[in-house]
Structures are given as structure tokens and as C-alpha cells.
Amino acid sequence: MRKIVVTEWMTLDGVVQSPAYPDEDPSGGFRHGGWHPRFFDELSMKWVMGNVTGAGGFLLGRRRYETFAAHWPNASREEQALAEPLNRLPKYVASRTLAAPLAWQNSTCLEGDVATAVAALQHEAGRDLLAIGSTELVRTLVEADLVDEFRFMIDPIVVGGGKRIFRDDGALRSYRLVESQVTTTGAMLVTYARQAGVLRAT
């Protein structure tokens, strides 16, 4: 059995929407796209590399899949350390609109109920599966209690609203801090592991 690991770039107020580019995801009138790159440093880049190269495969939502599939097969020479595992390893895509076969090599659409399909992958042997971004997919995995570990880069910035991975669903979930580091930009790199069980608030 392998772990399901979620990695997210997150603001101090818990927003994960449109971190990399101004026009990445302007849905809902989000006006602060591209808030994340200024907080990268050598430590955080090493953290990103470690997450990607240590994975046995990737879980992606439709939007993240399309963004990655458009970029990583044609990545520059300088980006090959990240591009190689992203291109080579299996990618499992949750989408209601994409149809097989997917164009990006080693990519498969998850069939049927997403939580059931991911649970089946979780019970296979192999290295951990890494969910990158993919807000809706991660919400589904959280609500199904399938996430074994969260790895957040939390930036010292507040954007005042936007998409978050934790819904206001009345559920109490407990996590254990495994590791934390502070970057030179003031961002925090934190890893939380899931505690057993989910308690529902009344």
C-alpha cells in the first residue's frame, strides 16, 4: 500500500487559487493570480524537486493536467530535472470532460467514482502518489479521507479570498506535524500526516 500525498502552494489565509500566473485561474473574479513565484528560493526549489522526484506517479485534475501537458513535454533544457519524472511517470487524471486516450505520455483517465479509483491505486504496491494543485480533486480526496500526507509551502501573503482545499463541511480532521522549515523569503515548508479517523461536528 502506498501513500496519497498532496502538495500545495498556499497563502497565509489558506488560498491555493492561481499561484503561478496572473491568468492561471481567474474564476470567481480572483484578482491576485501569480502571488507565489516571488517566494521561491533555493530551499523551496529543492523541496519541489524532492516531492516530484520521490513520487511514483501523479494525481491531477483536468485543469492541472492541461497546463502540465502543454508545458512539460516541451520543457527547456534547464527544466529537465523536473520534466523527466513528470513526463515519464504515470499520471492519473480526474475529469468529466477529457476522453481517452490522453495525449501526454503515460496519462490515464480515472474511470467511475474518483474516490473509489484513487483508493484502488492507493492499495497497490509502489512509491507514493503525489497530487499537485488540482483543488477540486484534492477536496474529493480529503472528504473521502484518502489523503495520508499534506506538504504545503505557505507564503507570507494574504489575498482575501479564493479557492481553498478545505471546505466548510463541519468535519474535524486531525493532522500531525512531521517536518517544518522556514525559507529565506519567510515562507514555510510544512508536512502534516493524517491522524486516524474523522470526527463530524454536530
Side-chain angles (χ1 to χ4, degrees):
M1 187 167 177
R2 51 188 172 175
K3 292 189 295 186
I4 302 298
V5 177
V6 167
T7 181
E8 295 279 357
W9 298 333
M10 182 180 289
T11 68
L12 199 59
D13 51 343
V15 174
V16 297
Q17 185 172 354
S18 198
Y21 309 107
D23 60 349
E24 182 179 0
D25 178 12
S27 61
F30 189 71
R31 298 180 293 108
H32 302 299
W35 47 265
H36 176 67
R38 75 192 79 169
F39 298 108
F40 267 134
D41 69 355
E42 184 176 348
L43 177 61
S44 56
M45 286 301 298
K46 182 178 178 181
W47 178 83
V48 170
M49 282 292 303
N51 288 332
V52 170
T53 59
F58 306 100
L59 298 170
L60 303 171
R62 190 264 311 165
R63 186 191 300 272
R64 185 65 57 188
Y65 168 81
E66 290 180 337
T67 301
F68 279 15
H71 178 78
W72 291 110
N74 306 300
S76 67
R77 180 179 301 177
E78 293 76 18
E79 296 174 307
Q80 286 306 305
L82 271 177
E84 192 280 329
L86 285 167
N87 288 322
R88 172 177 52 84
L89 291 170
K91 291 158 285 283
Y92 303 98
V93 184
S95 173
R96 300 182 185 91
T97 57
L98 296 177
L102 297 178
W104 191 14
Q105 66 187 76
N106 302 321
S107 297
T108 304
C109 275
L110 294 172
E111 296 184 356
D113 178 71
V114 169
T116 301
V118 172
L121 292 171
Q122 188 179 35
H123 281 83
E124 293 178 356
R127 291 193 295 171
D128 300 339
L129 294 176
L130 186 68
I132 304 174
S134 307
T135 308
E136 290 299 322
L137 170 59
V138 170
R139 285 175 173 174
T140 297
L141 300 180
V142 169
E143 290 165 6
D145 202 26
L146 291 174
V147 179
D148 297 291
E149 195 169 283
F150 289 102
R151 298 174 187 171
F152 297 138
M153 180 172 175
I154 304 173
D155 294 342
I157 189 171
V158 172
V159 295
K163 294 180 181 178
R164 297 173 169 85
I165 60 170
F166 298 109
R167 298 185 195 271
D168 295 332
D169 60 1
L172 180 65
R173 299 177 174 94
S174 182
Y175 299 93
R176 173 177 54 87
L177 180 64
V178 175
E179 184 179 8
S180 65
Q181 302 175 80
V182 180
T183 73
T184 60
T185 65
M188 292 190 65
L189 308 174
V190 296
T191 299
Y192 289 100
R194 179 174 61 90
Q195 301 277 31
V198 177
L199 301 177
R200 295 287 177 183
T202 56

